[in-house]
Amino acid sequence: MTDKNIPDIVVSRLPIYLQTLQHLSRQGKTITSSQELGEQSFITAAQVRKDLSFFGGFGKQGSGYDINYLSARIRQILKVDRIWNVALVGSGDLGHAIARYPGFAERGFHIRYVFDNDPAKIGKMIGTLPIISTDKMVEIIRQEGIMVAMITVPSRAAQSVADQLVQAGIKAILNYAPVALNVPENIRVETVSPILQLEHMTYYL
Amino acid sequence: MTDKNIPDIVVSRLPIYLQTLQHLSRQGKTITSSQELGEQSFITAAQVRKDLSFFGGFGKQGSGYDINYLSARIRQILKVDRIWNVALVGSGDLGHAIARYPGFAERGFHIRYVFDNDPAKIGKMIGTLPIISTDKMVEIIRQEGIMVAMITVPSRAAQSVADQLVQAGIKAILNYAPVALNVPENIRVETVSPILQLEHMTYYL
């Protein structure tokens, strides 16, 4: 399904379209247009049409897009038409908030394991998940074939955690630590950077 | 200082350079190059030079960039050479994690007020901050002249909170709710979208 010719910037907009489609669907709509989809995604209608054309036509001229069909196709393209098991490393305040947040599971990202290296935390529960020692992390992730991980450890520990995750077979890392991670080229990393987003906005104030 | 001719994409990379410069500085370095700055920011050296040239030359050919000077200049350009008072709306798990996280204050974003509409939470403390009723939100933000806010309320409440924040005089919103917010054109919004980032990565798995 993955086509190397599709620019990453186009791929990065598909989750936005999917979110908007789900929003429209919750409003009871069944058909949308590139105009409406664009407006609610803050992307131009022309860009929407161009982006979707990379994956074959989804709509007929004049009749709009079927919301259910388009959602299902985008889910398939993004490979979120399945459940992804996720390992979470770091059980501080943010780790707790993430482990308890139902939004990830609702979108197919099920946090199955929480790891921490603090002996005082190991064995404690977050909801139904016990906090497990990072000593067992590589083995468990390998055994379970988990490919997606989230890092919520302090900056100074993030790179060494990332190294272990890669060694364990993780292919995609969502990094909440405010630091750039070095990983092999075949591993995807996305960093959640609220501070950089704030600093971007203050420029305009 | 704000120059409308500087593309937003360039502005969006300045916080990344600043983060890398701070990282280099903590390693004891005082001078860097566009090569090094780029490598550690995952941006090409040519792009680094081009981006920084928008704001006047910061380095001399061959002698590199003075890290302290360049950091100070970028801070000034981004207006993060000062303290920004921040209002946080929503005191759930994520709101708690954010209010207790020292990283925002370290970068000049001081959370001064936490608001919630849940009577059971109002008056309780998060660290040294009492949770205040959203009934008082517009008045307090206006009185204190606060311009930056973070939203960590559930999706269904996010738009109405944003409307109130705009009414109160907020100019920049960091939105943690997984929903696109409608605000007037002169208001900046950045959304923290970990789920979209995950969905972007799974495409490549």
Side-chain angles (χ1 to χ4, degrees), chain B residues 49-119:
Chain B
R49 285 192 297 272
K50 202 174 151 199
D51 286 349
L52 297 182
S53 73
F54 272 104
F55 305 93
F58 287 120
K60 270 177 274 177
Q61 191 67 38
S63 67
Y65 299 106
D66 180 291
I67 289 177
N68 273 343
Y69 176 72
L70 183 54
S71 297
R73 281 291 290 126
I74 294 180
R75 270 203 208 91
Q76 205 178 18
I77 291 164
L78 291 174
K79 303 200 185 83
V80 291
D81 55 347
R82 64 203 74 176
I83 284 171
W84 290 98
N85 293 327
V86 177
L88 172 65
V89 193
S91 68
D93 283 336
L94 182 60
H96 265 82
I98 288 172
R100 291 161 50 125
Y101 176 60
F104 289 109
E106 281 163 15
R107 296 284 277 268
F109 296 95
H110 289 248
I111 296 168
R112 301 293 190 193
Y113 294 96
V114 180
F115 298 100
D116 205 293
N117 69 351
D118 180 353

Coordinates of all heavy atoms in Angstrom, one line a residue, chain B residues 49-119:
Chain B
R49 N 21.5 28.2 7.1 CA 22.1 29.5 6.6 C 21.0 30.4 6.0 O 21.0 31.6 6.3 CB 23.2 29.2 5.6 CG 24.5 28.7 6.3 CD 25.7 28.8 5.4 NE 25.5 27.9 4.2 CZ 25.9 26.6 4.2 NH1 26.4 26.0 5.3 NH2 25.6 25.9 3.1
K50 N 20.2 29.8 5.2 CA 19.2 30.6 4.5 C 18.1 31.1 5.5 O 17.8 32.3 5.5 CB 18.4 29.7 3.5 CG 17.7 30.4 2.4 CD 17.2 29.4 1.4 CE 16.0 29.9 0.7 NZ 15.1 28.9 0.0
D51 N 17.7 30.3 6.4 CA 16.8 30.7 7.5 C 17.3 31.9 8.3 O 16.6 32.9 8.5 CB 16.4 29.6 8.4 CG 15.5 28.5 7.8 OD1 15.0 28.8 6.7 OD2 15.3 27.5 8.4
L52 N 18.6 31.7 8.7 CA 19.1 32.8 9.6 C 19.4 34.1 8.9 O 19.4 35.1 9.5 CB 20.4 32.2 10.3 CG 20.2 31.0 11.2 CD1 21.4 30.6 11.9 CD2 19.1 31.3 12.3
S53 N 19.6 33.9 7.6 CA 19.9 35.1 6.8 C 18.7 36.1 6.7 O 18.8 37.3 6.5 CB 20.3 34.8 5.3 OG 19.2 34.3 4.6
F54 N 17.5 35.6 6.9 CA 16.3 36.4 7.0 C 16.4 37.5 8.1 O 15.7 38.5 8.0 CB 15.0 35.6 7.2 CG 14.4 35.0 6.0 CD1 14.6 33.7 5.7 CD2 13.7 35.8 5.2 CE1 14.0 33.2 4.5 CE2 13.1 35.3 4.0 CZ 13.2 34.0 3.7
F55 N 17.1 37.2 9.1 CA 17.2 38.0 10.3 C 18.5 38.8 10.4 O 18.9 39.3 11.4 CB 16.9 37.2 11.5 CG 15.6 36.4 11.4 CD1 15.6 35.1 11.0 CD2 14.4 37.0 11.8 CE1 14.5 34.4 10.9 CE2 13.3 36.3 11.7 CZ 13.3 35.0 11.2
G56 N 19.2 38.8 9.2 CA 20.5 39.5 9.2 C 21.6 38.4 9.5 O 21.3 37.3 10.1
G57 N 22.8 38.6 9.1 CA 23.9 37.6 9.3 C 24.2 37.5 10.8 O 24.3 38.4 11.5
F58 N 24.3 36.2 11.2 CA 24.6 36.0 12.6 C 26.1 35.5 12.8 O 26.6 35.5 13.9 CB 23.7 34.9 13.2 CG 22.3 35.4 13.5 CD1 21.2 34.8 12.8 CD2 22.1 36.5 14.3 CE1 19.9 35.2 13.1 CE2 20.8 36.9 14.6 CZ 19.7 36.3 13.9
G59 N 26.6 35.0 11.7 CA 28.0 34.4 11.8 C 28.9 35.0 10.8 O 28.4 35.6 9.8
K60 N 30.2 34.9 11.0 CA 31.1 35.3 10.0 C 31.6 34.1 9.2 O 31.7 33.0 9.8 CB 32.3 36.0 10.6 CG 32.1 37.5 10.8 CD 33.2 38.2 11.5 CE 33.0 38.1 13.0 NZ 34.1 38.6 13.8
Q61 N 31.7 34.2 7.9 CA 32.2 33.1 7.0 C 33.4 32.5 7.7 O 34.4 33.2 8.0 CB 32.5 33.7 5.7 CG 32.8 32.6 4.6 CD 31.5 31.9 4.3 OE1 30.4 32.4 4.2 NE2 31.6 30.6 4.1
G62 N 33.4 31.2 7.9 CA 34.6 30.5 8.4 C 34.7 30.5 9.9 O 35.4 29.6 10.4
S63 N 34.1 31.4 10.6 CA 34.3 31.4 12.1 C 33.2 30.9 12.9 O 33.2 30.7 14.1 CB 34.7 32.8 12.6 OG 33.6 33.7 12.4
G64 N 32.1 30.6 12.2 CA 30.9 29.9 12.9 C 30.1 30.9 13.6 O 30.3 32.1 13.6
Y65 N 29.1 30.4 14.3 CA 28.1 31.2 15.1 C 28.5 31.1 16.6 O 28.8 30.1 17.1 CB 26.7 30.6 15.0 CG 26.2 30.6 13.6 CD1 26.1 29.4 12.9 CD2 25.8 31.8 12.9 CE1 25.6 29.4 11.6 CE2 25.2 31.7 11.7 CZ 25.1 30.5 11.0 OH 24.6 30.5 9.7
D66 N 28.4 32.3 17.2 CA 28.6 32.4 18.7 C 27.3 31.9 19.3 O 26.2 32.5 19.1 CB 28.9 33.8 19.1 CG 29.1 33.9 20.6 OD1 28.1 33.8 21.4 OD2 30.2 34.1 21.1
I67 N 27.3 30.8 20.1 CA 26.1 30.2 20.5 C 25.3 31.1 21.4 O 24.0 31.2 21.3 CB 26.4 28.8 21.2 CG1 26.8 27.8 20.2 CG2 25.2 28.3 22.0 CD1 27.3 26.4 20.7
N68 N 25.9 31.8 22.4 CA 25.2 32.7 23.3 C 24.6 33.8 22.5 O 23.4 34.2 22.8 CB 26.2 33.3 24.3 CG 26.3 32.3 25.5 OD1 25.4 31.4 25.7 ND2 27.3 32.5 26.3
Y69 N 25.3 34.4 21.6 CA 24.8 35.5 20.9 C 23.6 35.1 20.0 O 22.6 35.8 20.0 CB 25.9 36.2 20.0 CG 25.4 37.3 19.1 CD1 25.1 38.5 19.7 CD2 25.3 37.1 17.8 CE1 24.6 39.6 18.9 CE2 24.7 38.1 17.0 CZ 24.4 39.4 17.6 OH 23.9 40.4 16.8
L70 N 23.8 34.0 19.3 CA 22.7 33.6 18.4 C 21.5 33.2 19.2 O 20.3 33.5 18.8 CB 23.2 32.4 17.5 CG 22.3 31.8 16.5 CD1 21.7 32.9 15.6 CD2 22.9 30.7 15.7
S71 N 21.7 32.5 20.3 CA 20.5 32.1 21.2 C 19.8 33.4 21.6 O 18.5 33.5 21.5 CB 21.0 31.4 22.4 OG 21.6 30.2 22.1
A72 N 20.5 34.4 22.1 CA 19.9 35.6 22.6 C 19.1 36.3 21.4 O 18.0 36.8 21.6 CB 21.0 36.6 23.1
R73 N 19.7 36.4 20.2 CA 19.1 37.0 19.1 C 17.8 36.3 18.7 O 16.7 36.9 18.5 CB 20.0 37.1 17.9 CG 21.0 38.2 18.0 CD 20.4 39.6 17.8 NE 19.9 39.8 16.5 CZ 18.7 40.2 16.2 NH1 17.8 40.4 17.1 NH2 18.4 40.4 14.9
I74 N 17.8 34.9 18.7 CA 16.6 34.2 18.3 C 15.6 34.4 19.4 O 14.4 34.5 19.1 CB 16.9 32.7 18.1 CG1 17.8 32.5 16.8 CG2 15.7 31.9 17.9 CD1 18.2 31.1 16.5
R75 N 16.0 34.4 20.7 CA 15.0 34.6 21.7 C 14.3 35.9 21.6 O 13.1 36.1 21.8 CB 15.7 34.6 23.1 CG 15.8 33.2 23.7 CD 16.0 33.3 25.2 NE 16.6 32.1 25.6 CZ 18.0 32.0 25.7 NH1 18.8 33.0 25.5 NH2 18.5 30.8 26.1
Q76 N 15.1 36.9 21.2 CA 14.6 38.3 21.0 C 13.6 38.3 19.8 O 12.5 38.8 19.9 CB 15.8 39.2 20.6 CG 15.6 40.6 20.9 CD 16.9 41.4 20.6 OE1 17.8 40.9 19.9 NE2 17.0 42.6 21.1
I77 N 14.0 37.6 18.7 CA 13.1 37.6 17.5 C 11.8 36.9 17.8 O 10.7 37.3 17.4 CB 13.8 36.8 16.3 CG1 15.0 37.7 15.8 CG2 12.9 36.5 15.2 CD1 16.0 37.0 15.0
L78 N 11.9 35.8 18.5 CA 10.7 35.0 18.9 C 9.9 35.6 20.1 O 8.8 35.1 20.4 CB 11.1 33.5 19.2 CG 11.6 32.7 18.1 CD1 12.0 31.3 18.6 CD2 10.5 32.5 17.0
K79 N 10.5 36.7 20.6 CA 9.9 37.3 21.8 C 9.8 36.3 23.0 O 8.9 36.4 23.8 CB 8.5 37.9 21.5 CG 8.5 38.9 20.3 CD 7.3 39.8 20.4 CE 7.2 40.7 19.2 NZ 6.6 40.0 18.0
V80 N 10.8 35.5 23.1 CA 10.8 34.6 24.3 C 12.0 35.0 25.2 O 12.5 34.3 26.0 CB 10.9 33.1 24.0 CG1 9.6 32.7 23.4 CG2 12.0 32.8 23.0
D81 N 12.4 36.3 25.0 CA 13.4 36.9 25.9 C 12.7 37.5 27.1 O 13.3 38.4 27.8 CB 14.3 37.9 25.2 CG 13.4 39.0 24.5 OD1 12.2 38.8 24.4 OD2 14.0 40.0 24.1
R82 N 11.5 37.2 27.4 CA 10.7 37.7 28.4 C 9.9 36.6 29.1 O 9.9 35.5 28.6 CB 9.8 38.8 27.9 CG 8.8 38.3 26.9 CD 8.3 39.4 25.9 NE 9.3 39.7 24.9 CZ 9.1 40.5 23.9 NH1 8.0 41.2 23.8 NH2 10.1 40.8 23.0
I83 N 9.1 37.0 30.1 CA 8.2 36.0 30.7 C 6.8 36.2 30.2 O 6.3 37.3 30.1 CB 8.3 36.1 32.3 CG1 9.6 35.5 32.8 CG2 7.1 35.4 32.9 CD1 9.9 35.8 34.2
W84 N 6.2 35.1 29.8 CA 4.8 35.1 29.3 C 4.0 34.4 30.4 O 4.2 33.3 30.8 CB 4.7 34.3 28.0 CG 5.3 35.0 26.8 CD1 6.5 34.8 26.3 CD2 4.7 36.1 26.1 NE1 6.7 35.6 25.2 CE2 5.7 36.4 25.1 CE3 3.5 36.7 26.1 CZ2 5.4 37.4 24.1 CZ3 3.3 37.7 25.2 CH2 4.2 38.1 24.2
N85 N 3.0 35.2 30.9 CA 2.0 34.6 31.8 C 1.0 33.8 31.0 O 0.5 34.2 29.9 CB 1.3 35.6 32.6 CG 2.3 36.3 33.5 OD1 3.2 35.7 34.0 ND2 2.1 37.6 33.8
V86 N 0.6 32.6 31.5 CA -0.2 31.7 30.8 C -1.4 31.3 31.6 O -1.3 31.0 32.8 CB 0.6 30.4 30.4 CG1 -0.3 29.4 29.7 CG2 1.8 30.8 29.5
A87 N -2.6 31.2 31.0 CA -3.8 30.7 31.6 C -4.0 29.3 31.1 O -4.0 29.0 29.9 CB -5.0 31.6 31.3
L88 N -4.3 28.3 32.0 CA -4.5 26.9 31.6 C -6.0 26.6 31.9 O -6.5 26.9 33.0 CB -3.6 26.0 32.5 CG -3.8 24.5 32.4 CD1 -3.6 24.0 31.0 CD2 -3.0 23.8 33.4
V89 N -6.7 26.1 30.9 CA -8.1 25.8 31.1 C -8.3 24.3 31.0 O -8.0 23.7 29.9 CB -9.0 26.5 30.0 CG1 -10.5 26.5 30.5 CG2 -8.6 28.0 29.8
G90 N -8.8 23.7 32.1 CA -9.0 22.3 32.1 C -8.0 21.7 33.1 O -6.8 21.8 33.0
S91 N -8.5 21.1 34.2 CA -7.6 20.5 35.2 C -7.8 19.0 35.4 O -7.8 18.5 36.5 CB -7.9 21.2 36.5 OG -9.1 20.9 37.1
G92 N -8.0 18.3 34.2 CA -8.0 16.9 34.2 C -6.6 16.3 34.4 O -5.6 17.1 34.8
D93 N -6.4 15.1 34.0 CA -5.0 14.5 34.1 C -4.0 15.3 33.4 O -2.9 15.5 33.9 CB -5.1 13.0 33.5 CG -5.7 12.0 34.4 OD1 -5.7 12.3 35.7 OD2 -6.2 11.0 34.0
L94 N -4.3 15.6 32.1 CA -3.4 16.4 31.3 C -3.1 17.8 31.9 O -1.9 18.2 31.9 CB -3.8 16.4 29.8 CG -2.9 17.1 28.9 CD1 -1.5 16.4 28.8 CD2 -3.5 17.2 27.5
G95 N -4.2 18.4 32.3 CA -4.0 19.8 32.9 C -3.1 19.7 34.1 O -2.2 20.5 34.3
H96 N -3.3 18.7 34.9 CA -2.4 18.5 36.1 C -1.0 18.3 35.7 O -0.1 18.9 36.2 CB -2.9 17.3 36.9 CG -3.8 17.6 38.0 ND1 -5.1 17.8 37.8 CD2 -3.6 17.8 39.3 CE1 -5.7 18.0 39.0 NE2 -4.8 18.1 39.9
A97 N -0.8 17.4 34.7 CA 0.6 17.1 34.2 C 1.3 18.4 33.7 O 2.4 18.7 34.0 CB 0.6 16.1 33.2
I98 N 0.5 19.2 33.0 CA 1.1 20.4 32.4 C 1.4 21.5 33.5 O 2.4 22.1 33.5 CB 0.1 21.0 31.4 CG1 0.1 20.1 30.1 CG2 0.4 22.5 31.0 CD1 -0.9 20.5 29.1
A99 N 0.4 21.6 34.5 CA 0.6 22.6 35.5 C 1.8 22.2 36.4 O 2.4 23.1 36.9 CB -0.7 22.7 36.4
R100 N 2.1 21.0 36.5 CA 3.2 20.5 37.4 C 4.5 20.4 36.7 O 5.5 20.2 37.3 CB 2.8 19.2 38.0 CG 1.7 19.3 39.1 CD 1.0 17.9 39.3 NE 2.0 16.9 39.6 CZ 2.0 16.1 40.7 NH1 1.0 16.3 41.6 NH2 2.9 15.2 40.9
Y101 N 4.5 20.4 35.4 CA 5.7 20.3 34.6 C 6.5 21.5 34.6 O 6.1 22.6 34.3 CB 5.3 20.0 33.1 CG 6.4 19.8 32.1 CD1 7.4 18.9 32.3 CD2 6.5 20.7 31.0 CE1 8.5 18.8 31.4 CE2 7.6 20.5 30.1 CZ 8.5 19.6 30.3 OH 9.6 19.5 29.4
P102 N 7.8 21.4 35.1 CA 8.6 22.7 35.2 C 9.1 23.2 33.9 O 9.6 24.3 33.8 CB 9.8 22.2 36.1 CG 9.9 20.7 35.9 CD 8.5 20.2 35.5
G103 N 9.1 22.4 32.8 CA 9.7 22.7 31.5 C 9.1 24.0 30.9 O 9.8 24.7 30.2
F104 N 7.8 24.3 31.1 CA 7.3 25.5 30.5 C 7.8 26.7 31.1 O 8.2 27.7 30.4 CB 5.7 25.5 30.6 CG 5.0 24.5 29.7 CD1 4.4 23.3 30.3 CD2 5.0 24.7 28.3 CE1 3.8 22.4 29.4 CE2 4.4 23.7 27.5 CZ 3.8 22.6 28.1
A105 N 7.9 26.7 32.5 CA 8.4 27.9 33.2 C 9.9 28.1 32.9 O 10.4 29.2 32.7 CB 8.2 27.8 34.7
E106 N 10.6 27.0 32.7 CA 12.1 27.1 32.4 C 12.3 27.8 31.0 O 13.3 28.4 30.8 CB 12.7 25.7 32.3 CG 13.0 25.1 33.6 CD 13.2 23.6 33.6 OE1 13.4 23.0 32.5 OE2 13.2 23.0 34.6
R107 N 11.3 27.7 30.1 CA 11.4 28.4 28.9 C 10.6 29.7 28.8 O 10.4 30.3 27.8 CB 10.9 27.5 27.7 CG 11.8 26.2 27.6 CD 13.1 26.5 26.9 NE 13.0 26.5 25.5 CZ 13.2 25.4 24.7 NH1 13.5 24.3 25.2 NH2 13.0 25.5 23.4
G108 N 10.2 30.2 30.0 CA 9.6 31.5 30.1 C 8.1 31.5 30.1 O 7.5 32.6 30.1
F109 N 7.4 30.3 30.0 CA 6.0 30.3 30.0 C 5.5 29.9 31.4 O 5.5 28.7 31.8 CB 5.5 29.3 28.9 CG 5.8 29.8 27.5 CD1 7.0 29.3 26.9 CD2 5.0 30.7 26.9 CE1 7.3 29.8 25.6 CE2 5.4 31.2 25.6 CZ 6.5 30.7 25.0
H110 N 5.0 30.9 32.1 CA 4.6 30.7 33.5 C 3.1 30.5 33.6 O 2.4 31.5 33.3 CB 5.1 31.9 34.4 CG 6.6 31.9 34.6 ND1 7.2 31.7 35.8 CD2 7.6 32.1 33.7 CE1 8.5 31.7 35.6 NE2 8.8 32.0 34.4
I111 N 2.7 29.4 34.0 CA 1.3 29.1 34.2 C 0.8 29.8 35.5 O 1.3 29.4 36.6 CB 1.0 27.6 34.2 CG1 1.3 27.1 32.8 CG2 -0.5 27.4 34.5 CD1 1.3 25.6 32.7
R112 N 0.0 30.8 35.4 CA -0.4 31.6 36.5 C -1.8 31.3 37.0 O -2.1 31.5 38.2 CB -0.4 33.1 36.1 CG 0.9 33.6 35.6 CD 2.0 33.7 36.7 NE 3.1 34.4 36.3 CZ 4.3 34.4 36.9 NH1 4.5 33.7 38.0 NH2 5.3 35.1 36.5
Y113 N -2.6 30.8 36.2 CA -4.0 30.5 36.6 C -4.4 29.2 35.9 O -4.1 28.9 34.8 CB -5.0 31.6 36.1 CG -4.7 32.9 36.8 CD1 -3.9 33.9 36.2 CD2 -5.2 33.2 38.1 CE1 -3.6 35.1 36.8 CE2 -5.0 34.3 38.7 CZ -4.2 35.3 38.1 OH -3.9 36.5 38.7
V114 N -5.2 28.4 36.7 CA -5.8 27.1 36.2 C -7.3 27.3 36.4 O -7.8 27.5 37.5 CB -5.3 25.9 37.0 CG1 -5.9 24.6 36.4 CG2 -3.8 25.8 36.9
F115 N -8.0 27.1 35.3 CA -9.5 27.2 35.4 C -10.1 25.9 35.1 O -9.6 25.1 34.3 CB -10.0 28.3 34.3 CG -9.4 29.6 34.6 CD1 -8.4 30.1 33.9 CD2 -10.0 30.5 35.6 CE1 -7.9 31.4 34.1 CE2 -9.5 31.7 35.8 CZ -8.5 32.2 35.1
D116 N -11.3 25.7 35.7 CA -12.1 24.5 35.4 C -13.6 24.8 35.7 O -13.8 25.7 36.5 CB -11.6 23.3 36.3 CG -12.0 22.0 35.7 OD1 -13.2 21.6 35.6 OD2 -11.1 21.2 35.2
N117 N -14.5 24.1 35.1 CA -15.9 24.4 35.4 C -16.5 23.3 36.3 O -17.7 23.4 36.6 CB -16.7 24.5 34.1 CG -16.8 23.1 33.4 OD1 -16.2 22.2 33.8 ND2 -17.6 23.1 32.3
D118 N -15.7 22.4 36.8 CA -16.2 21.3 37.7 C -16.2 21.8 39.1 O -15.2 22.0 39.7 CB -15.4 20.1 37.5 CG -15.8 18.9 38.4 OD1 -16.7 19.1 39.2 OD2 -15.3 17.8 38.2
P119 N -17.4 22.0 39.7 CA -17.5 22.5 41.1 C -16.7 21.7 42.1 O -16.2 22.2 43.0 CB -19.0 22.4 41.4 CG -19.7 22.4 40.1 CD -18.8 21.7 39.1

